[in-house]
Amino acid sequence: MLDIQNLHAGYGEMPVLCSVNITIAEREIVSVVGSNGAGKSTLLKAISGIIKSTGIITFNHESLRTLAAHTIVQRGIVHVPEGRKIFPDMTVVENLMMGGYLHQKERQINLDRVFALFPKLAERRNQLGGTMSGGEQQMLAIGRGLMGNPKLLLLDEPSLGLSPLFTEVVFGAIRTINASGVTVLLVEQNVYQSLSISHRGYVIETGAIVLTGTGEELLNNREVKRAFLGM
Ligand SMILES: Nc1ncnc2c1ncn2[C@@H]1O[C@H](COP(=O)(O)OP(=O)(O)OP(=O)(O)O)[C@@H](O)[C@H]1O
Ligand SMILES: [Mg+2]
């Protein structure tokens, strides 16, 4: 579904990603794990067209590299950014509706689906986004992404700053979303949890992919255990 070959990207003169190769098949959950500053968010920004890149990125055999970010969204790639970026002065429902502006006809169905996935958002539908707790805001950010009818959902550190309980809720929701047919690219520092729910994963270090395998293979890999799992 998504094919990335020899991808280079950075900011101005500063290179970050160096010759990255990643493939994602339809209906997979694929995670990219790595430490702070490794280039995980940069990778998602290159895919969704927020920053320029060189190399090959194709989505269902169409090149994305020259498409504008809003066209990439229309193709079905929805990016839930790091730090949630919800609209603080809009209510929960208004935030969700913003995510569904391209899909007016399906907005009510999508809204019902989001509320079924996160009942808490239904309870809090008229609360201002900015007054929701961190975990609730993360649900809202994912919910807003789902309102865009994604074929491929890009999630940037959805568990960052969440309590163990909310982390469980969010990872459970990602599995449910995937089971409903959405392909997921998950970028995380929570290596154990993200590899546990992933079909396959990649380890990124200073902008380069250094290891790849199934979620289980990576969880059992000596280097992964040493570097990320404290074992
Ligand atoms: N807008 C920017 N301008 C210049 N440099 C940037 C910019 N955004 C990120 N960088 C740099 O690019 C490198 C990779 O950053 P990136 O945000 O992709 O890392 P990350 O793996 O997502 O890290 P984290 O886990 O902390 O979110 C870092 O050295 C960072 O300082
Ligand atoms: Mg990041």
Side-chain angles (χ1 to χ4, degrees), residues 7-12 17 42 45-47 49-55 57 65-67:
L7 183 73
H8 290 256
Y11 303 92
L17 299 180
T42 303
K45 287 188 233 172
I47 296 170
I50 301 169
I51 59 166
K52 292 222 157 57
S53 57
T54 63
I57 310 178
R65 264 205 38 254
T66 52
L67 298 183

Side-chain angles (χ1 to χ4, degrees), residues 10-12 14-17 34-45 51 82 156-157 160 187-189 204 207:
Y11 303 92
M14 195 188 76
V16 175
L17 299 180
S35 328
N36 289 123
K40 303 180 301 295
S41 298
T42 303
L43 171 68
L44 296 192
K45 287 188 233 172
I51 59 166
E82 191 176 349
D156 197 343
E157 308 233 18
L160 190 69
V187 152
E188 266 289 346
Q189 279 182 63
I204 186 169

